[in-house]
Amino acid sequence: MFFADVLETEGLGNRSYLAGGARAAVVVDPPRDIDRVITAAARRGVRIVAVAETHVHNDYVTGGLELARLTGARYLVPGGAQVAYARVPVADGDVEPVDEDLVLRAVATPGHTPHHTAYVLEESGRPVAAFTGGSLLIGSVGRPDLVEPRLTERLARAQHASAHRLVAELGDEVSVLPTHGFGSFCSATQAGGESSTIGAEKASNPALVQDVDTFVKELLAGLDDVPAYYAHMGPANAGGPAPVDLTPPRRADAAELARRLAAGEWVVDLRGRVAFAEGHVAGAFNFEVDGQLATYLAWMIPWGKPVTLLAASAEDVSRAQRELIRVGIDRPAAAAVGSPADWLPEGAATASFPRSTFAGLAAARARREDVVVLDVRRNGERAAAPWIEGSVHIPVHQLHRRLEEVPSGTVWVHCAGGMRAAIAASLLDAAGRAVVAVDDGFGAAAEAGLPLTTTSAGPEAPAAPVGSAAPAATATPAARA
């Protein structure tokens, strides 16, 4: 009897899989922190005999090469992928033995990348699960625009054909086990659902219910921003990622932190946004360890710039290291543990800024204070939903390069739930701006009576400020995104 265990990487919205039988297993699209995979195999009591990549990944650094080296497993990589290391090149129809009566069959599924390959697990000749990588996702497909702009439409059409091929070859009961689609920016759309089958996808997936022209038109129109760090992931994976080093970083004292800040390096405070707003080292940026740390820090930091981590505990530093190595930020320059009192020179004061709600924002606007409303949601989010009339729009991942575009006045910054607003507030605070972080779900904006519009004004909607904000009562944290 086969098994297929999910190895979740929530911060990146991805899944890896350990699948096999009584004695042996294959790992599909492994994460870079392969100790998790080895532990999962040990719990199952199975030997890893194969490691399979569906494609050269654009959104994270793979652990496949190192996992294959450590375990002696055969490393299966699509033959069309140009890589700089020895591997087993996989072609359409190739079969890899896994365990008794259990094999892995390669199915060419171009679209997410030109060389993309899905793998079908067959038990006694019967397909039981499809590891679809970035091809057929749950309610969506992998985006086709990450390789080369001139190939995007062609790959979108290939995605449609690949989805139909999988459906034609597999029974309705076969499990669909994708790598992307659980919050990953590699997914063309953010679809819901934790599990699916071929039959369920046939009934609802746009790639399977729409004709190819409609599918391609809507797919390309709905593509959202691409995280900047994606540009570094493909080359890292093609070149052969180095083994990871998760040993604790060197500890920094208050004097070193001050020197690093003065040098323009990034000092990142991993504490929750409430604690950060109440008191922090001036100039530090707030990326919560419980938020989408890897995605947004890697998206925003100038690539290669040293990063120093501040955290309440050594455990939080360790968690952050694990998140960051997955996106190629391999070693923090230093770290410090404790609280702002431990990170500041004697006699230095902490910085702080207020938090509020959309109701507090409405009250400040009613008093005609010098309020600037800054919306830091992504372009696609703002285009697809209402936004506050008079607000300025700069996506959070662009804000550090566009601070000079924020009008004068006290900046009330919001996103969809609070996490990205906290990041943005820390950037503005470090730049010396008066800021209020709106820590509230966007649904509360209408409830507060704020004027909303869906009128198209382009990706940015600058408007005159409406009148510096004395904050209203502090909000409790809302949804994270």
Side-chain angles (χ1 to χ4, degrees):
M1 185 69 181
F2 82 98
F3 70 87
D5 294 342
V6 175
L7 302 173
E8 197 99 37
T9 304
E10 292 184 2
L12 297 177
N14 285 333
R15 288 179 174 180
S16 305
Y17 299 93
L18 174 73
R23 293 180 297 277
V26 60
V27 179
V28 180
D29 288 344
R32 195 176 186 195
D33 46 331
I34 58 173
D35 56 325
R36 293 193 294 147
V37 182
I38 293 170
T39 298
R43 288 197 187 109
R44 278 282 185 180
V46 293
R47 182 168 63 92
I48 296 172
V49 296
V51 177
E53 303 281 10
T54 57
H55 59 296
V56 174
H57 303 281
N58 287 291
D59 63 327
Y60 69 93
V61 181
T62 180
L65 182 63
E66 181 66 1
L67 182 61
R69 185 187 71 80
L70 287 176
T71 62
R74 285 164 57 82
Y75 191 27
L76 314 180
V77 178
Q82 301 300 309
V83 297
Y85 45 81
R87 88 287 194 204
V88 178
V90 175
D92 185 48
D94 285 354
V95 174
E96 182 72 19
V98 177
D99 203 349
E100 185 178 356
D101 296 326
L102 201 64
V103 301
L104 200 67
R105 177 168 57 87
V107 180
T109 48
H112 186 48
T113 67
H115 61 266
H116 191 283
T117 299
Y119 298 94
V120 176
L121 190 67
E122 297 181 349
E123 186 176 48
S124 301
R126 179 178 63 91
V128 291
F131 301 101
T132 54
S135 54
L136 185 66
L137 310 186
I138 299 177
S140 186
V141 295
R143 58 193 300 167
D145 61 327
L146 301 179
V147 178
E148 155 62 52
R150 291 171 296 181
L151 296 179
T152 297
E153 182 173 350
R154 187 189 314 171
L155 290 175
R157 292 182 177 276
Q159 277 289 51
H160 188 272
S162 292
H164 281 263
R165 180 186 179 185
L166 288 170
V167 165
E169 294 186 6
L170 302 175
D172 286 357
E173 74 286 354
V174 173
S175 298
V176 174
L177 303 175
T179 301
H180 306 312
F182 309 95
S184 168
F185 283 89
C186 270
S187 177
T189 59
Q190 295 306 312
E194 288 298 307
S195 62
S196 190
T197 62
I198 291 292
E201 294 307 307
K202 280 169 62 176
S204 61
N205 194 301
L208 299 170
V209 299
Q210 293 177 334
D211 66 83
V212 63
D213 290 333
T214 301
F215 167 77
V216 169
K217 180 181 178 181
E218 294 188 4
L219 177 69
L220 299 185
L223 292 173
D224 208 338
D225 303 337
V226 177
Y229 71 89
Y230 276 26
H232 305 281
M233 300 298 96
N237 287 323
V244 300
D245 179 3
L246 290 172
T247 58
R250 187 177 53 76
R251 292 296 175 90
D253 59 16
E256 180 179 346
L257 294 176
R259 289 195 301 270
R260 290 188 178 278
L261 283 165
E265 296 182 11
W266 279 40
V267 175
V268 172
D269 192 326
L270 301 169
R271 295 176 301 148
R273 55 186 182 260
V274 176
F276 182 88
E278 290 175 349
H280 56 269
V281 176
F285 302 142
N286 183 212
F287 290 81
E288 296 175 298
V289 71
D290 289 324
Q292 290 177 279
L293 168 68
T295 293
Y296 283 100
L297 180 56
W299 197 337
M300 296 170 66
I301 191 170
W303 200 251
K305 184 176 281 289
V307 59
T308 296
L309 303 177
L310 307 180
S313 68
E315 290 75 18
D316 283 347
V317 172
S318 178
R319 289 172 58 200
Q321 283 183 263
R322 187 175 288 272
E323 291 274 348
L324 294 176
I325 58 103
R326 295 168 179 162
V327 291
I329 301 176
D330 283 4
R331 290 294 295 170
V337 171
S339 69
D342 304 304
W343 307 330
L344 288 167
E346 187 174 350
T350 58
S352 64
F353 54 78
R355 298 162 53 247
S356 192
T357 62
F358 283 108
L361 170 58
R365 293 184 80 170
R367 295 191 294 267
R368 304 200 61 79
E369 295 172 355
D370 187 18
V371 170
V372 176
V373 181
L374 177 61
D375 180 348
V376 296
R377 293 175 296 172
R378 296 187 306 277
N379 289 332
E381 288 179 274
R382 178 153 163 131
W387 41 273
I388 298 171
E389 288 185 5
S391 61
V392 176
H393 179 226
I394 303 176
V396 68
H397 57 273
Q398 299 177 10
L399 182 61
H400 59 300
R401 300 191 304 270
R402 300 174 58 188
L403 288 168
E404 73 284 351
E405 297 178 34
V406 181
S408 60
T410 296
V411 185
W412 287 63
V413 59
H414 79 85
C415 58
M419 180 195 76
R420 289 171 294 172
I423 296 172
S426 72
L427 296 174
L428 290 159
D429 176 75
R433 296 297 303 270
V435 63
V436 180
V438 178
D439 197 354
D440 207 356
F442 190 72
E447 297 169 10
L450 288 162
L452 304 180
T453 183
T454 57
T455 302
S456 175
E460 299 173 49
V466 186
S468 185
T474 299
T476 55
R480 245 196 305 183

